[in-house]
Amino acid sequence: MSELTAGVTVSADPGAGFGLDGKIAIVTGAASGIGRATAELLAKSGCLVTAVDVNHKGLATLDLGDDGATDVADLSVPAACEQVVAGVLSHRKRLDILVNAAAILRRVPIAEADAALWEKMMDTNLLSQFFLCRAAGEAMKPRKWGRIVNCSSGAGLVGGFFGATAYAITKAGIMTMTRSFAKDLGPHGITVNTLSPGAIDTPMQRTGVPREALEANRARVPIGRMGLPAECARGAVFLASDLASYVTGHILAVDGGSLMR
Ligand SMILES: NC(=O)c1ccc[n+]([C@@H]2O[C@H](COP(=O)([O-])OP(=O)(O)OC[C@H]3O[C@@H](n4cnc5c(N)ncnc54)[C@H](O)[C@@H]3O)[C@@H](O)[C@H]2O)c1
């Protein structure tokens, strides 16, 4: 270390929990798939997790340990996003980590996409993450520490697939939004990154993509298989941990190498 980094500290040994023990976390989309696996892995790593989703049944079966909490909310409504953060501040008195996984996938050909589809996709996938990032950033600023992990998609880099154009555009927006927040919040000690999953075996893939397309996709993945939600969760937990203290504005692809094809 020199005078250029005076006052900067990094724990020599981040410990088994990689600095996550006791951290206060919100995970959205936590009733299912990647959000669910991330909420449970953060809880196992010592975080006090508030799991948020519109699906109350999925939330009810989560394993978040003794200190977990759930919040049923429709995050396509900006005021609901702000209320989720306010609720955690009131309950836990601070916020350290936000993981934004909630989203929907709709496959509608460009010729048939109407304004209602656009509004639904933008509100659910992009605006929700914007309002949650903004509220979380404000909540994290006073302590000068925070980690925000958004969920994008390889679809946002390649223009979508099988009619998922509106979905892809929301996911491309999340990448730019992440970098905008990373610049804005960096001086406050808050990192903002994006996880970009490839084909992960979740309800979104199983119900949203035709079976023959899933098979074709799988054949193109260099690692030779679809990914598990737990593998994406590890990427999200890395970005939320002390191991990623100098990583911000990054797009972490957890996709078995799909983007190389
Ligand atoms: N599964 C994949 O292959 C894949 C690939 C690329 C990106 N992603 C992204 O990863 C994230 C997680 O996807 P997944 O595959 O786990 O999906 P999933 O469908 O299994 O889970 C998404 C969750 O979001 C919740 N949700 C949807 N709308 C909501 C709303 N308005 N308010 C609150 N909660 C809402 C759903 O109820 C659901 O529990 C998403 O952002 C998705 O776009 C997934």
Side-chain angles (χ1 to χ4, degrees), residues 29 31-35 53-55 73-76 101-104 124 129 151-154 167 171 197-200 202-205:
S32 175
I34 295 165
D53 206 291
V54 73
N55 171 2
D74 178 356
L75 299 171
S76 65
I104 52 171
T124 308
Q129 294 204 19
C151 248
S152 178
S153 166
Y167 172 83
K171 293 298 174 178
I200 308 299
T202 70
M204 181 181 282
Q205 277 281 333

Side-chain angles (χ1 to χ4, degrees), residues 6-137:
V8 179
T9 53
V10 175
S11 49
D13 172 9
F18 305 126
L20 290 167
D21 202 27
K23 290 283 191 288
I24 307 299
I26 293 174
V27 181
T28 76
S32 175
I34 295 165
R36 183 180 187 89
T38 303
E40 293 190 338
L41 187 55
L42 283 171
K44 279 197 186 76
S45 306
C47 291
L48 287 72
V49 176
T50 296
V52 187
D53 206 291
V54 73
N55 171 2
H56 65 94
K57 284 191 183 150
L59 290 179
T61 56
L62 270 170
D63 178 9
L64 299 176
D66 293 340
D67 297 315
T70 58
D71 189 351
V72 179
D74 178 356
L75 299 171
S76 65
V77 180
C81 298
E82 285 159 0
Q83 274 163 21
V84 163
V85 173
V88 169
L89 285 181
S90 153
H91 175 204
R92 314 267 202 197
K93 308 300 172 214
R94 65 172 212 272
L95 175 64
D96 303 309
I97 295 167
L98 166 68
V99 179
N100 270 321
I104 52 171
L105 169 64
R106 297 279 185 275
R107 292 185 305 106
V108 178
I110 288 177
E112 293 165 28
D114 58 15
L117 172 84
W118 275 101
E119 205 173 322
K120 177 89 178 155
M121 296 305 295
M122 296 299 273
D123 288 354
T124 308
N125 290 7
L126 185 56
L127 291 192
S128 64
Q129 294 204 19
F130 174 84
F131 286 105
L132 280 158
C133 281
R134 191 171 72 177

Side-chain angles (χ1 to χ4, degrees), residues 34 105 161 197-232 254-258:
I34 295 165
L105 169 64
F161 49 87
I200 308 299
D201 186 5
T202 70
M204 181 181 282
Q205 277 281 333
R206 291 195 291 270
T207 59
V209 182
R211 176 60 58 170
E212 61 276 16
L214 282 179
E215 295 298 336
N217 256 355
R218 190 168 57 177
R220 290 207 324 271
V221 180
I223 281 189
R225 62 173 175 81
M226 287 181 81
L228 297 173
E231 292 177 295
C232 267
V254 181
D255 65 354
S258 301

Side-chain angles (χ1 to χ4, degrees), residues 151-220:
C151 248
S152 178
S153 166
L157 291 168
V158 302
F161 49 87
F162 317 119
T165 309
Y167 172 83
I169 292 169
T170 65
K171 293 298 174 178
I174 287 166
M175 295 186 204
T176 298
M177 186 195 76
T178 294
R179 289 182 163 145
S180 304
F181 272 103
K183 287 180 181 174
D184 194 57
L185 296 176
H188 300 278
I190 301 162
T191 67
V192 190
N193 292 289
T194 293
L195 196 68
S196 177
I200 308 299
D201 186 5
T202 70
M204 181 181 282
Q205 277 281 333
R206 291 195 291 270
T207 59
V209 182
R211 176 60 58 170
E212 61 276 16
L214 282 179
E215 295 298 336
N217 256 355
R218 190 168 57 177
R220 290 207 324 271

